[in-house]
Amino acid sequence: MRTAHAEAAPARIRQTGAMGLLFFLLFLAALLLTGCSDRLEAERSYFCPMHPEVTGSKPGDCPICGMRLVEREGRTSGADHAGGAGRQEAGSEKALPPQILADRAPVAIPARHADWVDLRTEEVVVRRIVREVRASARVVPDERRLHRVTARAGGWVEALYVNASGQAVRKGDPLLRLYSPEIYSAEQEYLIARRHQEELARKEIPGASAAGSDLLAASRKRLELWGVPEEEMRRLDREGKAEKTVTLSSPASGFVAEKNVVEGQKIEAGEPLFLLSDLSKIWVEADLFEADAPLVEVGMEAVLVLPSLPDRSFKGKVRFLNPFLDPSTRTLRARIELSNPDFLLKPGMLGEARLRRDFGEHPAVPEAALLKTSQSALVYRQNEEGRLEPVEVETGVAGGGFVRVIRGLTPGDRVVTSGNFLVDSESSLAGALRSASSPGRGE
């Protein structure tokens, strides 16, 4: 029995060793297969057929046109990875690279195809660029032409000559007749002082005449400070009799905007009675958008148009810009002053203010010619051979449908103004084919 067990032990040892070797070989093969799969996945490359500059190592969508990325045929070599480090990865938030022109190529559009897509070109010329700013506006009274009428002494309104709001008055027109015990007493004191001064002048007493004159002047000044008109003072001197009532006259021409008094009312000194508004010149308040505010300056000409007067326009000038922006509407208020001799403009009217900012003469292209990217703008210029080539341009101010060209074009160049999106697609496709056919690409 001991001999049988001794012979079986080496056999079990050999069997166990064979099993361990088999498991080790299987584990090593799994590692090799996993490494190869990862390497093959890492060598895959995807690109956008319309924008070849957009590449990625994983499937996704083009951030420019939204087209699904397709796998590049063949495997990307390490050199391709190094050379494509500057390309935009799909799904990344980086802006388009400045060298976007390298992925486009000049194209030639046959004449018959140009008619189908309405392809048009226009010459770059030097033109005056004028930007028009439009803003909602409303007509308001000129605050400098408002007159508040008050009585400087208390009393009772005996008669009211202006008895309705909106009534037109002229400077010097009577507004009301006021009985004021204070003014009546002051007039009597003035007459007494005048008689006293005359008596002292006749007696020829040294210094007495001067004292009487001072008293008379003080009495007269008191009446003037109470607002007694000059006409009433001349009547006192002429008739020598105090009147029970005094007439309150209009200090300016205009319209009655407010009326706070009725006949028979007792009024106090300083109480507001009328508000007169001179509408021969009015204000227009225009609310400028925050982006348009830097274009408007004091002294700039403005035109007011009203839906209620479609055949008329009113010219004025900007006289004031509010230093504070309205936080609720994000607008800046501009004040425009206009003459209103015919009183056609009524406070409360709503309209539109139009202001024109002149930027001078510059080389310019139509706005429709520009294809804007995240960092720059492109146009397609017609070269001497008739081919359309992409050109990166630097632009400035815009106005009237044209944009100033600072760099990239010169007067006399012809640029595409209609059908340029189709031209851009053709140019991108030509650039992609050129890249694919270059040595080292797609191999």
PDB file of all heavy atoms in Angstrom, residues 162-183:
ATOM      1  N   VAL A 162     -59.700 133.654 -15.820  1.00  0.00           N
ATOM      2  CA  VAL A 162     -59.270 132.417 -16.489  1.00  0.00           C
ATOM      3  C   VAL A 162     -59.863 131.269 -15.690  1.00  0.00           C
ATOM      4  O   VAL A 162     -59.421 130.974 -14.578  1.00  0.00           O
ATOM      5  CB  VAL A 162     -57.733 132.315 -16.545  1.00  0.00           C
ATOM      6  CG1 VAL A 162     -57.318 130.987 -17.161  1.00  0.00           C
ATOM      7  CG2 VAL A 162     -57.160 133.465 -17.362  1.00  0.00           C
ATOM      8  N   ASN A 163     -60.876 130.638 -16.267  1.00  0.00           N
ATOM      9  CA  ASN A 163     -61.676 129.718 -15.476  1.00  0.00           C
ATOM     10  C   ASN A 163     -61.677 128.299 -16.039  1.00  0.00           C
ATOM     11  O   ASN A 163     -62.598 127.530 -15.768  1.00  0.00           O
ATOM     12  CB  ASN A 163     -63.115 130.234 -15.381  1.00  0.00           C
ATOM     13  CG  ASN A 163     -63.832 129.696 -14.152  1.00  0.00           C
ATOM     14  OD1 ASN A 163     -63.191 129.230 -13.215  1.00  0.00           O
ATOM     15  ND2 ASN A 163     -65.153 129.753 -14.172  1.00  0.00           N
ATOM     16  N   ALA A 164     -60.657 127.915 -16.836  1.00  0.00           N
ATOM     17  CA  ALA A 164     -60.627 126.572 -17.404  1.00  0.00           C
ATOM     18  C   ALA A 164     -59.193 126.160 -17.685  1.00  0.00           C
ATOM     19  O   ALA A 164     -58.386 126.977 -18.157  1.00  0.00           O
ATOM     20  CB  ALA A 164     -61.454 126.511 -18.681  1.00  0.00           C
ATOM     21  N   SER A 165     -58.875 124.891 -17.432  1.00  0.00           N
ATOM     22  CA  SER A 165     -57.560 124.351 -17.788  1.00  0.00           C
ATOM     23  C   SER A 165     -57.442 124.250 -19.305  1.00  0.00           C
ATOM     24  O   SER A 165     -58.429 123.972 -20.000  1.00  0.00           O
ATOM     25  CB  SER A 165     -57.362 122.971 -17.160  1.00  0.00           C
ATOM     26  OG  SER A 165     -57.388 123.053 -15.755  1.00  0.00           O
ATOM     27  N   GLY A 166     -56.243 124.474 -19.825  1.00  0.00           N
ATOM     28  CA  GLY A 166     -56.021 124.442 -21.261  1.00  0.00           C
ATOM     29  C   GLY A 166     -56.251 125.762 -21.950  1.00  0.00           C
ATOM     30  O   GLY A 166     -55.964 125.883 -23.142  1.00  0.00           O
ATOM     31  N   GLN A 167     -56.769 126.758 -21.222  1.00  0.00           N
ATOM     32  CA  GLN A 167     -57.035 128.061 -21.829  1.00  0.00           C
ATOM     33  C   GLN A 167     -55.730 128.770 -22.155  1.00  0.00           C
ATOM     34  O   GLN A 167     -54.774 128.737 -21.387  1.00  0.00           O
ATOM     35  CB  GLN A 167     -57.884 128.902 -20.867  1.00  0.00           C
ATOM     36  CG  GLN A 167     -58.307 130.249 -21.418  1.00  0.00           C
ATOM     37  CD  GLN A 167     -59.260 130.967 -20.478  1.00  0.00           C
ATOM     38  OE1 GLN A 167     -59.901 130.341 -19.639  1.00  0.00           O
ATOM     39  NE2 GLN A 167     -59.341 132.287 -20.620  1.00  0.00           N
ATOM     40  N   ALA A 168     -55.680 129.398 -23.316  1.00  0.00           N
ATOM     41  CA  ALA A 168     -54.488 130.140 -23.736  1.00  0.00           C
ATOM     42  C   ALA A 168     -54.499 131.526 -23.120  1.00  0.00           C
ATOM     43  O   ALA A 168     -55.541 132.187 -23.061  1.00  0.00           O
ATOM     44  CB  ALA A 168     -54.440 130.232 -25.247  1.00  0.00           C
ATOM     45  N   VAL A 169     -53.365 131.987 -22.651  1.00  0.00           N
ATOM     46  CA  VAL A 169     -53.226 133.330 -22.075  1.00  0.00           C
ATOM     47  C   VAL A 169     -51.968 133.975 -22.650  1.00  0.00           C
ATOM     48  O   VAL A 169     -51.040 133.280 -23.091  1.00  0.00           O
ATOM     49  CB  VAL A 169     -53.131 133.282 -20.527  1.00  0.00           C
ATOM     50  CG1 VAL A 169     -54.411 132.747 -19.926  1.00  0.00           C
ATOM     51  CG2 VAL A 169     -51.938 132.446 -20.076  1.00  0.00           C
ATOM     52  N   ARG A 170     -51.983 135.307 -22.624  1.00  0.00           N
ATOM     53  CA  ARG A 170     -50.813 136.058 -23.048  1.00  0.00           C
ATOM     54  C   ARG A 170     -50.204 136.772 -21.842  1.00  0.00           C
ATOM     55  O   ARG A 170     -50.890 136.997 -20.835  1.00  0.00           O
ATOM     56  CB  ARG A 170     -51.174 137.077 -24.130  1.00  0.00           C
ATOM     57  CG  ARG A 170     -51.573 136.446 -25.447  1.00  0.00           C
ATOM     58  CD  ARG A 170     -51.848 137.518 -26.494  1.00  0.00           C
ATOM     59  NE  ARG A 170     -52.160 136.929 -27.782  1.00  0.00           N
ATOM     60  CZ  ARG A 170     -51.258 136.577 -28.692  1.00  0.00           C
ATOM     61  NH1 ARG A 170     -49.969 136.756 -28.426  1.00  0.00           N
ATOM     62  NH2 ARG A 170     -51.617 136.058 -29.827  1.00  0.00           N
ATOM     63  N   LYS A 171     -48.950 137.116 -21.969  1.00  0.00           N
ATOM     64  CA  LYS A 171     -48.298 137.821 -20.881  1.00  0.00           C
ATOM     65  C   LYS A 171     -49.014 139.140 -20.611  1.00  0.00           C
ATOM     66  O   LYS A 171     -49.257 139.937 -21.532  1.00  0.00           O
ATOM     67  CB  LYS A 171     -46.830 138.076 -21.225  1.00  0.00           C
ATOM     68  CG  LYS A 171     -46.055 138.716 -20.100  1.00  0.00           C
ATOM     69  CD  LYS A 171     -44.584 138.868 -20.465  1.00  0.00           C
ATOM     70  CE  LYS A 171     -43.799 139.478 -19.307  1.00  0.00           C
ATOM     71  NZ  LYS A 171     -42.362 139.611 -19.631  1.00  0.00           N
ATOM     72  N   GLY A 172     -49.379 139.388 -19.336  1.00  0.00           N
ATOM     73  CA  GLY A 172     -50.084 140.596 -18.938  1.00  0.00           C
ATOM     74  C   GLY A 172     -51.581 140.462 -18.897  1.00  0.00           C
ATOM     75  O   GLY A 172     -52.266 141.373 -18.394  1.00  0.00           O
ATOM     76  N   ASP A 173     -52.139 139.339 -19.421  1.00  0.00           N
ATOM     77  CA  ASP A 173     -53.592 139.149 -19.351  1.00  0.00           C
ATOM     78  C   ASP A 173     -54.023 139.002 -17.897  1.00  0.00           C
ATOM     79  O   ASP A 173     -53.327 138.364 -17.093  1.00  0.00           O
ATOM     80  CB  ASP A 173     -54.010 137.911 -20.134  1.00  0.00           C
ATOM     81  CG  ASP A 173     -53.951 138.123 -21.633  1.00  0.00           C
ATOM     82  OD1 ASP A 173     -53.727 139.285 -22.048  1.00  0.00           O
ATOM     83  OD2 ASP A 173     -54.112 137.137 -22.383  1.00  0.00           O
ATOM     84  N   PRO A 174     -55.187 139.554 -17.497  1.00  0.00           N
ATOM     85  CA  PRO A 174     -55.656 139.392 -16.121  1.00  0.00           C
ATOM     86  C   PRO A 174     -56.086 137.957 -15.846  1.00  0.00           C
ATOM     87  O   PRO A 174     -56.788 137.338 -16.665  1.00  0.00           O
ATOM     88  CB  PRO A 174     -56.839 140.360 -16.050  1.00  0.00           C
ATOM     89  CG  PRO A 174     -57.314 140.500 -17.463  1.00  0.00           C
ATOM     90  CD  PRO A 174     -56.091 140.379 -18.315  1.00  0.00           C
ATOM     91  N   LEU A 175     -55.669 137.442 -14.706  1.00  0.00           N
ATOM     92  CA  LEU A 175     -56.041 136.084 -14.304  1.00  0.00           C
ATOM     93  C   LEU A 175     -57.178 136.111 -13.285  1.00  0.00           C
ATOM     94  O   LEU A 175     -58.129 135.334 -13.400  1.00  0.00           O
ATOM     95  CB  LEU A 175     -54.826 135.360 -13.717  1.00  0.00           C
ATOM     96  CG  LEU A 175     -53.619 135.177 -14.651  1.00  0.00           C
ATOM     97  CD1 LEU A 175     -52.471 134.510 -13.913  1.00  0.00           C
ATOM     98  CD2 LEU A 175     -54.005 134.375 -15.885  1.00  0.00           C
ATOM     99  N   LEU A 176     -57.072 136.984 -12.274  1.00  0.00           N
ATOM    100  CA  LEU A 176     -58.112 137.084 -11.255  1.00  0.00           C
ATOM    101  C   LEU A 176     -58.016 138.451 -10.570  1.00  0.00           C
ATOM    102  O   LEU A 176     -57.007 139.148 -10.692  1.00  0.00           O
ATOM    103  CB  LEU A 176     -57.999 135.940 -10.231  1.00  0.00           C
ATOM    104  CG  LEU A 176     -56.669 135.763  -9.474  1.00  0.00           C
ATOM    105  CD1 LEU A 176     -56.559 136.694  -8.279  1.00  0.00           C
ATOM    106  CD2 LEU A 176     -56.512 134.313  -9.033  1.00  0.00           C
ATOM    107  N   ARG A 177     -59.108 138.804  -9.860  1.00  0.00           N
ATOM    108  CA  ARG A 177     -59.099 140.026  -9.054  1.00  0.00           C
ATOM    109  C   ARG A 177     -59.195 139.614  -7.588  1.00  0.00           C
ATOM    110  O   ARG A 177     -60.088 138.859  -7.209  1.00  0.00           O
ATOM    111  CB  ARG A 177     -60.258 140.932  -9.440  1.00  0.00           C
ATOM    112  CG  ARG A 177     -60.132 142.330  -8.872  1.00  0.00           C
ATOM    113  CD  ARG A 177     -61.106 143.314  -9.464  1.00  0.00           C
ATOM    114  NE  ARG A 177     -62.471 143.051  -9.014  1.00  0.00           N
ATOM    115  CZ  ARG A 177     -63.454 142.657  -9.799  1.00  0.00           C
ATOM    116  NH1 ARG A 177     -63.210 142.440 -11.096  1.00  0.00           N
ATOM    117  NH2 ARG A 177     -64.662 142.462  -9.317  1.00  0.00           N
ATOM    118  N   LEU A 178     -58.256 140.100  -6.790  1.00  0.00           N
ATOM    119  CA  LEU A 178     -58.097 139.643  -5.405  1.00  0.00           C
ATOM    120  C   LEU A 178     -58.361 140.794  -4.432  1.00  0.00           C
ATOM    121  O   LEU A 178     -57.850 141.905  -4.620  1.00  0.00           O
ATOM    122  CB  LEU A 178     -56.677 139.110  -5.210  1.00  0.00           C
ATOM    123  CG  LEU A 178     -56.280 138.673  -3.805  1.00  0.00           C
ATOM    124  CD1 LEU A 178     -57.048 137.411  -3.395  1.00  0.00           C
ATOM    125  CD2 LEU A 178     -54.767 138.433  -3.731  1.00  0.00           C
ATOM    126  N   TYR A 179     -59.202 140.497  -3.435  1.00  0.00           N
ATOM    127  CA  TYR A 179     -59.341 141.439  -2.317  1.00  0.00           C
ATOM    128  C   TYR A 179     -58.420 140.971  -1.196  1.00  0.00           C
ATOM    129  O   TYR A 179     -58.579 139.889  -0.644  1.00  0.00           O
ATOM    130  CB  TYR A 179     -60.778 141.497  -1.803  1.00  0.00           C
ATOM    131  CG  TYR A 179     -60.882 142.141  -0.439  1.00  0.00           C
ATOM    132  CD1 TYR A 179     -60.476 143.474  -0.240  1.00  0.00           C
ATOM    133  CD2 TYR A 179     -61.326 141.421   0.673  1.00  0.00           C
ATOM    134  CE1 TYR A 179     -60.534 144.070   1.007  1.00  0.00           C
ATOM    135  CE2 TYR A 179     -61.391 142.006   1.930  1.00  0.00           C
ATOM    136  CZ  TYR A 179     -60.990 143.322   2.081  1.00  0.00           C
ATOM    137  OH  TYR A 179     -61.025 143.909   3.340  1.00  0.00           O
ATOM    138  N   SER A 180     -57.430 141.815  -0.874  1.00  0.00           N
ATOM    139  CA  SER A 180     -56.473 141.500   0.177  1.00  0.00           C
ATOM    140  C   SER A 180     -56.431 142.654   1.160  1.00  0.00           C
ATOM    141  O   SER A 180     -56.000 143.771   0.794  1.00  0.00           O
ATOM    142  CB  SER A 180     -55.084 141.265  -0.427  1.00  0.00           C
ATOM    143  OG  SER A 180     -54.116 141.129   0.586  1.00  0.00           O
ATOM    144  N   PRO A 181     -56.879 142.463   2.397  1.00  0.00           N
ATOM    145  CA  PRO A 181     -56.805 143.538   3.393  1.00  0.00           C
ATOM    146  C   PRO A 181     -55.385 144.059   3.581  1.00  0.00           C
ATOM    147  O   PRO A 181     -55.186 145.262   3.821  1.00  0.00           O
ATOM    148  CB  PRO A 181     -57.349 142.871   4.665  1.00  0.00           C
ATOM    149  CG  PRO A 181     -58.201 141.742   4.171  1.00  0.00           C
ATOM    150  CD  PRO A 181     -57.527 141.262   2.923  1.00  0.00           C
ATOM    151  N   GLU A 182     -54.412 143.191   3.464  1.00  0.00           N
ATOM    152  CA  GLU A 182     -53.024 143.619   3.660  1.00  0.00           C
ATOM    153  C   GLU A 182     -52.589 144.576   2.556  1.00  0.00           C
ATOM    154  O   GLU A 182     -51.958 145.612   2.824  1.00  0.00           O
ATOM    155  CB  GLU A 182     -52.109 142.387   3.701  1.00  0.00           C
ATOM    156  CG  GLU A 182     -52.342 141.484   4.912  1.00  0.00           C
ATOM    157  CD  GLU A 182     -51.493 140.239   4.856  1.00  0.00           C
ATOM    158  OE1 GLU A 182     -51.330 139.671   3.751  1.00  0.00           O
ATOM    159  OE2 GLU A 182     -50.978 139.836   5.908  1.00  0.00           O
ATOM    160  N   ILE A 183     -52.918 144.233   1.306  1.00  0.00           N
ATOM    161  CA  ILE A 183     -52.528 145.110   0.200  1.00  0.00           C
ATOM    162  C   ILE A 183     -53.305 146.420   0.256  1.00  0.00           C
ATOM    163  O   ILE A 183     -52.755 147.512   0.012  1.00  0.00           O
ATOM    164  CB  ILE A 183     -52.735 144.390  -1.144  1.00  0.00           C
ATOM    165  CG1 ILE A 183     -51.793 143.165  -1.254  1.00  0.00           C
ATOM    166  CG2 ILE A 183     -52.488 145.329  -2.321  1.00  0.00           C
ATOM    167  CD1 ILE A 183     -51.958 142.374  -2.517  1.00  0.00           C
TER     168      ILE A 183
END
